[in-house]
Amino acid sequence: MTLEFNQIHRTDHLPGRIATEIAREINDGKLKAGDKLPTEHVLSKTFGVSRSVIREAIAQLRNEGAVETRQGVGAFVSDPRHRVSIRIERSKLNDPDSFRDLFQLRLPLEIEAAGLAAVNRTPEQLSRLEAVLNTMRNAPEWEKEGIAADLDFHRTLAESTQNDYFSMFLGFIAERISYAINIAFSRAVFGEILETTIAEHVAIYDAIAASNAAAARAAMRAHLLGAARRVNLELEVYE
């Protein structure tokens, strides 16, 4: 079987466009329920993007119910009769109230996820967090690699809880919030903001590496509240 993906332009939101291309192959019947998707390596070569971008695209498809992933095996097209998905259009997040409400939901979920990740992460997941963090530090163009790496960090952290529901919900929520925040920053000079953001991720990583759940929760809380302040978002937060 030959899959016919359209060319992806660099000006597009790459993970979203790639997810759209794969979804088109599914909807056209070229990829059927139960079929295994090509590997991250093959897809990254096919589309000419990094594997972190491919991971984000696959995560988007998973959150939309189009595919299911099996750890260590790969991603498979899900049966349309059993698909369950959560949908929030990106345009909806242009509404400040909707954006604030979604961010408010993310706060307790990801703080708890950080604590669970510190206790439950595997050595492989810790190595992946470190690799993604290094990609964030060294991304020459934040819009192309930095955003995807930022999301990959949070996605890997959610997976490190060993709770599939955290992966499902946080993958969906973080993708929409982080994309909106980073796109807003990409239109301005934000070197200092990037330094602060990366430093916050380092603190989260260090706590998870030390298996310190309390420190991981505190670091994640500081990161999320800092991110909210940077976009002038007022949240109801209680100690």
Side-chain angles (χ1 to χ4, degrees):
M1 174 176 56
T2 301
L3 302 179
E4 299 176 357
F5 296 121
N6 292 327
Q7 183 178 3
I8 300 297
H9 300 287
R10 286 289 178 182
T11 54
D12 295 331
H13 174 233
L14 294 179
R17 289 289 295 116
I18 291 168
T20 297
E21 285 296 307
I22 296 173
R24 180 176 57 80
E25 296 293 298
I26 294 172
N27 294 332
D28 289 349
K30 294 180 180 178
L31 285 168
K32 297 178 173 58
D35 284 350
K36 183 179 179 180
L37 297 189
T39 65
E40 287 181 3
H41 176 73
V42 170
L43 287 173
S44 67
K45 293 292 184 183
T46 300
F47 288 109
V49 298
S50 68
R51 293 177 68 169
S52 63
V53 171
I54 296 298
R55 280 194 291 270
E56 184 181 341
I58 298 299
Q60 180 176 326
L61 289 168
R62 182 186 64 206
N63 294 334
E64 293 174 353
V67 304
E68 57 185 33
T69 55
R70 303 171 194 170
Q71 191 167 5
V73 179
F76 297 79
V77 178
S78 62
D79 187 328
R81 296 172 298 177
H82 303 148
R83 288 177 188 171
V84 179
S85 64
I86 309 170
R87 289 184 178 275
I88 296 179
E89 298 298 329
R90 289 186 189 278
S91 59
K92 183 75 172 174
L93 296 184
N94 292 330
D95 173 37
D97 290 337
S98 295
F99 183 76
R100 184 195 63 240
D101 289 348
L102 192 59
F103 206 114
Q104 188 84 60
L105 174 62
R106 179 189 184 185
L107 193 66
L109 288 176
E110 194 148 22
I111 289 172
E112 181 62 18
L116 289 172
V119 175
N120 297 327
R121 53 84 179 167
T122 65
E124 293 76 16
Q125 287 165 334
L126 184 63
S127 295
R128 184 170 158 192
L129 281 173
E130 183 179 23
V132 173
L133 188 58
N134 287 333
T135 299
M136 290 176 63
R137 285 168 166 157
N138 301 314
E141 296 182 63
W142 187 258
E143 299 104 303
K144 291 182 180 178
E145 297 179 1
I147 292 176
D150 188 340
L151 289 169
D152 203 9
F153 183 94
H154 288 271
R155 186 176 303 112
T156 302
L157 184 148
E159 292 171 358
S160 299
T161 66
Q162 313 308 330
N163 183 323
D164 288 342
Y165 292 107
F166 273 103
S167 296
M168 181 188 304
F169 283 96
L170 285 177
F172 174 82
I173 294 170
E175 186 270 338
R176 277 149 181 78
I177 290 177
S178 294
Y179 177 72
I181 290 175
N182 279 298
I183 288 301
F185 288 155
S186 71
R187 299 193 181 106
V189 177
F190 63 135
E192 183 177 342
I193 290 175
L194 276 185
E195 289 182 6
T196 301
T197 298
I198 292 172
E200 289 169 354
H201 283 82
V202 170
I204 295 168
Y205 169 82
D206 287 344
I208 292 174
S211 299
N212 189 328
R217 290 190 186 97
M220 180 60 76
R221 178 186 172 89
H223 168 54
L224 294 178
L225 292 180
R229 285 193 299 271
R230 289 190 283 273
V231 292
N232 299 315
L233 189 63
E234 295 184 7
L235 298 177
E236 296 179 359
V237 179
Y238 302 96
E239 296 296 337

